[in-house]
Amino acid sequence: MDYNLYINGESVPTENHMDIFNPANGELLGKCPVATRDQLNMAVAAAAEAFKTWRNVSDADRKAACHAIGQILEENAEELAKLLTEEQGKPLNGVGSRFELGGCQGWTHYTADLELPVEVIQDNEEGRVELHRNPLGVIGSITPWNWPLMIAIWHVIPAIRTGNTVVIKPSPFTPLSTLRMIELIGSVLPKGVLNVVSGTDELGQMMSEHEDIQKIVFTGSCATGSKVMASAAPTLKRLTLELGGNDAGIVLPDVDAKAIAQGLFWGAFINGGQTCAALKRLYVHEDVYDDVCAALTDFAKSMPVGNGLDENVVLGPVQNKMQYDKVKRLVDNAVDNGARVLLGADPDDRAENGKGFFYPVTLLADVSDGLPIVDEEQFGPALPIIKYSDIDDAIARANDSDNGLGGSIWTNDMAQAKALATRLECGSVWINKHGMLQPNVPFGGVKGSGIGVEFGVDGLKEYTTIQAVYL
Ligand code: NAD
């Protein structure tokens, strides 16, 4: 199949292309169009033109359009899920591509039904003051490669629901599924409301600098988020930055290790650990350390890893060589520095031979803060398990990070869990689970993990400005 840009309701070919490979076997999957600066300008101009009308379309019609998108996603879910598996690597089943497409539909319908009614903040003899929520204009959306379709939906739907128009740019690692999805859902919208351009990282920088884009919603690494902020500064763009995380989980001594093993495993290994709010450092009290290590290892070793098109597989390859090399470097360094390998850490030669970036599920014991596998975001299938004896010390170590996306507490004592949760410096805290997101709950990072939130009414507001009307 040919993939093209989608600009002003039309499929637009490009002169240049990049090859996109299946991370499970190294085979060529398709050719990604590489947009020029002129083509980006065309997309932004189409979005700016469409904004003139779309901003005035009734709320009911915009809501209906979002529900129509949800319907298209449902009708094409299986095609998109298969393409997503071939491109991203995640399995069709488990918490994989079908799950991601289900999330796209759920988020779309939920966000379609959200309202931002006019707020009356004063109504007395001195007058009436209303707060109106106005759309911003053209939104530039820049997405990563780990949950490409879900994150695209998280950006696009609240933007168009509130009367904005969008130019989206997917990651150069996973562009094809987004190109196909946007072409499909764009067909139910007026021309120019939703456009997609693909290409290299430079296209993202051009968007951040573009003077006719009013806001950038960016999901990706901290390093790139900071570049986006710098290039957006001269035009004073509004920003939502959803950046990296290095989430800590803290296991208290009262747990039943076997009962929490499954939750811990999926908290850490969802999408092979390539998830912003995955559990990336596990602090376990010394009284239950050996039991938790044993229970987690028992659970983890039964998980089938392979090509995600195989219906039995629940974990796929790492998405790209750069990430594979990073995980390998961090694990090798930990092992060289005394980490005890409970599982994994012994990749076969498929990645070296271009036959798939398979890194085994890896559990490392007897590690501590100061090792790069603990201090850096590994973003892959390797979990360091750290022993602690004093809870105040564990909280301090969990907070000793530039990141602040999520965290979790594992215990049967709810009162203590709540008290400890509020001491974690992060945007979301879970008790006895990790990383579950919901469309009605605002999600975002503190510290270096980002600026702003997505989801729910608070997320919707980020695509608007307040206009105070004095009557
Ligand atoms: P990345 O920062 O390398 O790339 C993200 C996007 O930015 C891509 O589309 C890329 O082309 C673009 N880009 C690159 N350079 C740019 C520049 N100078 N200006 C503008 N755009 C540019 O991130 P990634 O490797 O694709 O994704 C993984 C990272 O994303 C991890 O750190 C992960 O934690 C984070 N993430 C965060 C969330 C969240 O909600 N907080 C969700 C998913 C992923």
Side-chain angles (χ1 to χ4, degrees):
M1 146 161 213
D2 285 340
Y3 295 91
N4 291 318
L5 313 178
Y6 185 74
I7 299 175
N8 208 24
E10 282 171 22
S11 189
V12 177
T14 58
E15 228 163 77
N16 294 325
H17 292 86
M18 301 183 305
D19 289 339
I20 302 298
F21 298 96
N22 182 333
N25 54 25
E27 286 170 13
L28 182 67
L29 179 63
K31 291 195 171 287
C32 166
V34 177
T36 59
R37 186 185 286 274
D38 282 350
Q39 285 170 321
L40 170 64
N41 288 341
M42 268 171 59
V44 175
E49 186 59 31
F51 178 64
K52 293 178 189 162
T53 313
W54 186 246
R55 65 170 305 160
N56 296 319
V57 164
S58 77
D59 199 63
D61 285 352
R62 289 205 298 254
K63 179 189 286 199
C66 291
H67 281 304
I69 288 174
Q71 182 66 31
I72 297 269
L73 289 169
E74 190 181 333
E75 286 162 12
N76 295 279
E78 196 56 21
E79 178 205 326
L80 289 169
K82 181 164 176 283
L83 178 57
L84 181 59
T85 290
E86 290 172 319
E87 177 174 63
Q88 205 283 334
K90 67 183 63 186
L92 281 172
N93 286 327
V95 197
S97 296
R98 289 179 179 137
F99 169 86
E100 184 163 347
L101 265 299
C104 291
Q105 294 160 51
W107 250 271
T108 298
H109 288 301
Y110 183 84
T111 309
D113 284 334
L114 288 176
E115 308 277 353
L116 288 179
V118 170
E119 274 176 73
V120 178
I121 57 164
Q122 180 187 313
D123 194 9
N124 58 20
E125 61 286 357
E126 281 160 33
R128 177 181 165 98
V129 183
E130 295 178 353
L131 294 190
H132 293 241
R133 290 267 166 190
N134 294 340
L136 296 162
V138 179
I139 306 294
S141 149
I142 303 176
T143 54
W145 48 259
N146 58 341
W147 293 88
L149 298 186
M150 186 108 95
I151 291 171
I153 288 294
W154 290 350
H155 291 185
V156 163
I157 301 300
I160 61 174
R161 173 70 187 87
T162 43
N164 302 280
T165 56
V166 179
V167 176
I168 181 171
K169 185 204 85 64
S171 163
F173 290 111
T174 53
L176 305 182
S177 48
T178 305
L179 289 164
R180 178 69 183 134
M181 180 176 79
I182 297 296
E183 187 181 28
L184 285 166
I185 66 178
S187 67
V188 300
L189 294 166
K191 283 180 178 181
V193 170
L194 181 55
N195 309 273
V196 58
V197 292
S198 53
T200 59
D201 291 345
E202 283 74 53
L203 202 55
Q205 184 175 341
M206 288 183 221
M207 288 170 67
S208 314
E209 291 168 348
H210 206 292
E211 50 186 29
D212 295 327
I213 291 181
Q214 275 68 43
K215 171 181 172 132
I216 295 285
V217 49
F218 170 85
T219 302
S221 63
C222 300
T224 311
S226 137
K227 287 188 200 162
V228 168
M229 196 168 182
S231 27
T235 47
L236 286 179
K237 279 187 183 57
R238 282 157 178 78
L239 294 170
T240 298
L241 300 177
E242 293 288 0
L243 308 180
N246 195 8
D247 292 10
I250 300 180
V251 179
L252 301 192
D254 70 329
V255 296
D256 171 349
K258 283 205 175 94
I260 62 168
Q262 182 171 0
L264 286 174
F265 180 82
W266 284 114
F269 290 92
I270 176 171
N271 199 25
Q274 303 162 110
T275 298
C276 52
L279 173 51
K280 296 185 178 130
R281 303 175 277 159
L282 184 60
Y283 292 87
V284 181
H285 191 272
E286 59 188 358
D287 289 358
V288 285
Y289 189 80
D290 291 340
D291 290 350
V292 169
C293 286
L296 203 44
T297 308
D298 260 3
F299 186 84
K301 68 185 178 202
S302 63
M303 292 294 112
V305 182
N307 187 322
L309 291 181
D310 177 340
E311 298 274 348
N312 299 313
V313 156
V314 296
L315 287 168
V318 174
Q319 204 281 325
N320 56 69
K321 182 75 165 60
M322 176 195 70
Q323 199 60 39
Y324 175 94
D325 287 344
K326 179 170 189 191
V327 174
K328 186 167 185 317
R329 170 175 63 80
L330 292 174
V331 172
D332 289 351
N333 167 282
V335 172
D336 288 348
N337 284 285
R340 179 160 54 94
V341 177
L342 299 172
L343 189 69
D346 55 349
D348 57 29
D349 57 8
R350 275 178 290 179
E352 302 313 320
N353 296 331
K355 301 268 186 239
F357 305 124
F358 286 99
Y359 197 89
V361 169
T362 295
L363 295 170
L364 298 175
D366 301 344
V367 280
S368 194
D369 312 66
L371 278 182
I373 186 99
V374 181
D375 295 353
E376 293 177 28
E377 183 187 30
Q378 67 275 47
F379 214 62
L383 179 68
I385 309 174
I386 305 142
K387 192 185 285 183
Y388 77 88
S389 50
D390 174 64
I391 186 60
D392 291 328
D393 177 49
I395 295 275
R397 286 151 78 183
N399 287 338
D400 185 17
S401 165
D402 293 338
N403 293 121
L405 197 55
S408 57
I409 307 284
W410 302 73
T411 176
N412 293 314
D413 180 344
M414 280 306 124
Q416 197 188 6
K418 272 208 259 181
L420 293 173
T422 55
R423 291 173 59 195
L424 285 177
E425 295 167 3
C426 51
S428 306
V429 190
W430 295 273
I431 314 293
N432 295 328
K433 54 188 173 183
H434 197 112
M436 296 356 189
L437 304 184
Q438 299 181 192
N440 55 343
V441 182
F443 170 68
V446 300
K447 302 200 281 187
S449 287
I451 294 176
V453 293
E454 298 186 276
F455 316 156
V457 169
D458 293 286
L460 208 58
K461 284 180 178 169
E462 301 222 358
Y463 291 88
T464 65
T465 46
I466 288 179
Q467 184 178 48
V469 179
Y470 294 76
L471 295 131

